[in-house]
């Protein structure tokens, strides 16, 4: 019995000790303000109460304050993340590339030039960057003519340095300076712009007579020329010319005896260029006279082309090669000769196949004589000197006119009018009879 009461007392002491220790749920309660004393690690709960700790230093070390409630802002600073804060401006998140200034410099400009002379200047562009750019170049052409605007190329010569060459002609003595603008693009977006004003050479204006053709070049050569009837009254001369360091489009003779003139079918660039010059004048003109300034010889050189009208109503203003007419004659002789040979063989051998071959050659000869036939020209059609888009227009039809088609070139047809005039029109401007 005594043993039973001893065991019961021991169990009651253990339960009392457990109720005196703090609970984990009590520690999480932020409203409770109390401290908890820690028991030494070696202490084991027993029925005998332990004496309090008398050392205040040890008591402060063993007593821990209850943690405070953590605010959302404190949690945000504690938890690591790789996501950017959407409230931060983009300039603080992304690295920005600042466009550097482009430095332009002009070199190798000649000191002196003549009005109409081709001269050049080199432009250096220091982009101060290793990027690749798309270049857009503009030049103020108020008093100058820029010759290589369509095929200008920028070449990279050094780290971030590009160079190009401008070829131009001064049109007036008033030309003093040249403004060049450069635009750089990356991925079709504007990156940087730059401008430069360049002083032009000292310009000299040539003084000559009315036969000066406004050409200043290293050389000018007349290859062929031909004069035919332009209409019932006037004549037309077509001259094939070729030159070096030249702008043939400037060919213009300010002579009052010339009724109409122009330059067509320009081939090549200013380094080596060829074209056809035509002039319409009255029948009393005996020669076509003009001169140009030779830069290599530093003097004027003159030409005098005699007017000798060829009686050739079907001649073309662009075909100046005399072999063309000879080839046509030889072709006709060959065709009709074969036709005659097969016709004789057909008579001698009495075979129908020879008659058939002879008939084919006869038909071919008739077709080649006029392979196109007659047509009707529509009203309000511009008739040009040559089969080119920018050729000079010498006549415009007011009503439908019957014409004869003499030849073709690309989309153009060469036509012969009833009064003998010859010109070129688009094929869509004709009704085939």
């Amino acid at each position: 019995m005594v043993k039973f009461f001893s065991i019961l007392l021991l169990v009651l002491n253990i339960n009392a000790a457990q109720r005196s220790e703090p609970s984990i749920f009590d520690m999480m309660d932020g409203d409770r303000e109390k401290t908890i004393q820690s028991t030494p690690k070696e202490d084991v709960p027993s029925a005998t109460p332990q004496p309090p700790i008398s050392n205040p230093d040890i008591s402060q070390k063993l007593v821990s304050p209850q943690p405070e409630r953590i605010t959302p802002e404190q949690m945000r600073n504690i938890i690591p993340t790789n996501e950017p804060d959407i409230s931060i401006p983009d300039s603080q998140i992304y690295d920005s590339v600042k466009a550097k200034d482009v430095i332009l410099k002009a070199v190798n400009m000649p000191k002196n030039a003549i009005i109409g002379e081709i001269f050049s200047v080199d432009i250096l562009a220091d982009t101060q960057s290793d990027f690749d750019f798309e270049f857009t170049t503009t030049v103020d052409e108020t008093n100058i003519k820029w010759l290589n605007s369509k095929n200008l190329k920028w070449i990279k010569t050094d780290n971030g340095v590009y160079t190009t060459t401008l070829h131009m002609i001064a049109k007036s003595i008033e030309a003093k300076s040249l403004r060049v603008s450069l635009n750089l693009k990356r991925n079709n977006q504007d990156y940087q712009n730059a401008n430069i004003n360049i002083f032009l050479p000292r310009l000299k204006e040539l003084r000559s007579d009315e036969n000066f053709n406004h050409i200043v070049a290293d050389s000018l050569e007349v290859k062929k020329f031909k004069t035919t009837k332009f209409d019932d009254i006037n004549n037309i001369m077509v001259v094939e010319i070729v030159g070096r360091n030249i702008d043939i489009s400037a060919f213009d003779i300010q002579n009052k005896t010339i009724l109409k003139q122009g330059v067509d079918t320009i081939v090549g660039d200013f380094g080596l260029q060829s074209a056809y010059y035509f002039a319409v004048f009255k029948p009393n003109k005996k020669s076509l006279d003009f001169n140009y300034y030779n830069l290599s010889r530093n003097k004027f050189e003159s030409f005098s082309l005699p007017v000798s009208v060829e009686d050739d109503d079907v001649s073309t203003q662009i075909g100046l090669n005399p072999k063309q007419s000879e080839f046509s004659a030889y072709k006709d002789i060959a065709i009709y000769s074969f036709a005659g040979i097969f016709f004789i063989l057909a008579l001698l051998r009495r075979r129908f196949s020879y008659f058939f071959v002879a008939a084919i050659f006869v038909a071919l000869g008739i077709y080649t004589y006029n392979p196109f036939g007659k047509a009707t020209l529509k009203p309000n059609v511009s008739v040009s000197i040559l089969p080119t888009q920018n050729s000079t227009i010498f006549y415009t039809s007011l009503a439908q006119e019957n014409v004869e088609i003499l030849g073709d070139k690309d989309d153009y047809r060469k036509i012969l009018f009833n009064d003998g005039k010859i010109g070129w029109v688009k094929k869509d401007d004709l009704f085939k009879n």
Side-chain angles (χ1 to χ4, degrees):
M1 192 64 153
V2 175
K3 186 176 180 179
F4 172 77
F5 283 107
S6 299
I7 294 172
L8 180 60
L9 182 61
L10 179 61
V11 172
L12 293 176
N13 289 335
I14 292 175
N15 291 336
Q18 289 178 348
R19 284 194 301 268
S20 65
E21 291 182 358
S23 170
I24 187 66
F25 297 102
D26 295 336
M27 295 177 63
M28 295 180 63
D29 189 359
D31 296 333
R32 299 176 59 182
E33 296 179 359
K34 66 177 182 177
T35 59
I36 303 171
Q37 291 184 348
S38 301
T39 56
K41 186 176 181 180
E42 62 273 14
D43 292 346
V44 179
S46 59
T48 307
Q50 300 295 328
I53 299 174
S54 60
N55 192 339
D57 295 334
I58 298 178
S59 175
Q60 292 178 2
K61 292 181 181 179
L62 294 179
V63 175
S64 299
Q66 184 174 347
E68 299 179 357
R69 183 185 300 272
I70 299 178
T71 64
E73 185 65 26
Q74 292 174 333
M75 290 291 295
R76 183 179 180 184
N77 295 330
I78 295 174
I79 301 175
T81 179
N82 293 327
E83 298 180 359
D85 189 351
I86 59 174
S87 63
I88 300 177
D90 292 344
S91 59
Q92 298 182 14
I93 300 177
Y94 302 102
D95 294 334
S96 59
V97 179
K98 183 180 179 181
K100 296 183 179 180
D101 293 334
V102 179
I103 302 174
L104 295 180
K105 184 179 180 181
V107 296
N108 301 327
M109 173 72 80
K111 295 182 179 179
N112 302 284
I114 301 174
I115 300 296
E117 176 187 358
I118 298 175
F119 62 93
S120 61
V121 58
D122 296 331
I123 307 295
L124 303 179
D126 187 358
T127 63
Q128 303 188 74
S129 175
D130 294 334
F131 297 142
D132 293 328
F133 300 101
E134 298 176 11
F135 290 82
T136 301
T137 310
T138 56
V139 174
D140 182 10
E141 298 186 67
T142 302
N143 291 312
I144 65 102
K145 181 179 180 180
W146 183 19
L147 299 178
N148 61 331
S149 59
K150 295 182 179 179
N151 55 356
L152 185 70
K153 295 181 179 179
W154 286 89
I155 301 175
K156 191 173 185 178
T157 59
D158 201 353
N159 186 18
V161 179
Y162 296 80
T163 181
T164 191
T165 302
L166 305 179
H167 299 277
M168 66 198 79
I169 291 177
K171 299 185 294 184
S172 170
I173 197 70
E174 302 298 328
K176 303 298 182 182
S177 62
L178 177 70
R179 182 175 178 83
V180 180
S181 300
L182 181 63
N183 175 258
L184 304 183
K185 289 187 176 182
R186 278 182 53 81
N187 301 322
N188 296 324
Q189 298 293 328
D190 290 339
Y191 181 81
Q192 186 60 280
N193 295 293
N195 302 285
I196 184 174
N197 290 319
I198 307 170
F199 287 104
L200 295 177
R202 291 190 295 270
L203 299 174
K204 177 183 177 182
E205 190 172 11
L206 295 173
R207 298 186 180 276
S208 182
D209 54 23
E210 62 180 4
N211 293 328
F212 179 49
N213 64 357
H214 297 87
I215 294 294
V216 180
D218 289 347
S219 66
L220 177 64
E221 180 182 355
V222 174
K223 303 293 291 184
K224 297 183 290 287
F225 64 94
K226 184 177 183 178
T227 306
T228 59
K229 297 291 292 183
F230 180 71
D231 51 29
D232 289 341
I233 300 176
N234 302 311
N235 298 328
I236 180 172
M237 178 182 285
V238 181
V239 185
E240 183 182 1
I241 53 180
V242 61
R244 295 183 180 276
N245 194 28
I246 186 174
D247 178 25
I248 295 183
S249 64
F251 200 120
D252 182 74
I253 306 173
Q254 294 181 349
N255 192 309
K256 295 180 180 179
T257 61
I258 298 177
L259 305 178
K260 189 173 295 185
Q261 62 182 317
V263 178
D264 281 281
T265 321
I266 298 177
V267 178
D269 58 9
F270 50 87
L272 178 62
Q273 201 170 70
S274 64
Y276 292 99
Y277 168 79
F278 69 88
V280 178
F281 44 81
K282 294 182 178 181
N284 58 354
K285 192 174 182 63
K286 302 302 180 181
S287 63
L288 179 66
D289 303 319
F290 60 88
N291 57 67
Y292 84 103
Y293 189 82
N294 190 313
L295 286 171
S296 59
R297 299 180 181 179
N298 293 322
K299 67 175 185 178
F300 288 95
E301 292 190 350
S302 300
F303 293 85
S304 181
L305 308 180
V307 175
S308 177
V309 180
E310 300 182 16
D311 188 14
D312 186 5
D313 289 339
V314 297
S315 62
T316 173
Q317 283 84 0
I318 196 171
L320 299 179
N321 192 342
K323 293 183 179 180
Q324 290 181 345
S325 59
E326 294 177 4
F327 174 78
S328 178
Y330 294 150
K331 177 191 64 178
D332 294 338
I333 292 173
I335 289 175
Y336 289 112
S337 295
F338 280 113
I341 291 173
F342 279 98
F343 182 76
I344 294 173
L345 290 175
L347 293 177
L348 294 176
R349 299 188 180 184
R350 298 181 181 278
R351 296 182 61 178
F352 177 78
S353 59
Y354 290 111
F355 280 107
F356 180 74
V357 175
I360 291 177
F361 276 105
V362 172
L364 181 61
I366 296 174
Y367 176 78
T368 56
Y369 176 75
N370 189 357
F372 301 102
K374 296 184 180 297
T376 300
L377 182 65
K378 297 178 182 179
N380 301 320
V381 173
S382 299
V383 184
S384 304
I385 293 286
L386 297 176
T388 57
Q389 183 175 2
N390 298 322
S391 179
T392 299
I393 297 172
F394 72 90
Y395 175 73
T396 301
S397 61
L398 301 178
Q400 292 186 358
E401 297 186 43
N402 294 326
V403 296
E404 185 177 353
I405 301 177
L406 303 179
D408 64 344
K409 180 178 176 60
D410 299 330
D411 292 335
Y412 291 87
R413 296 290 182 267
K414 183 176 67 172
I415 58 175
L416 173 65
F417 290 87
N418 294 330
D419 58 2
K421 291 194 296 289
I422 299 173
W424 293 84
V425 297
K426 290 289 187 68
K427 64 179 182 179
D428 296 335
D429 295 330
L430 296 170
F431 292 117
K432 193 70 178 292
N433 294 343

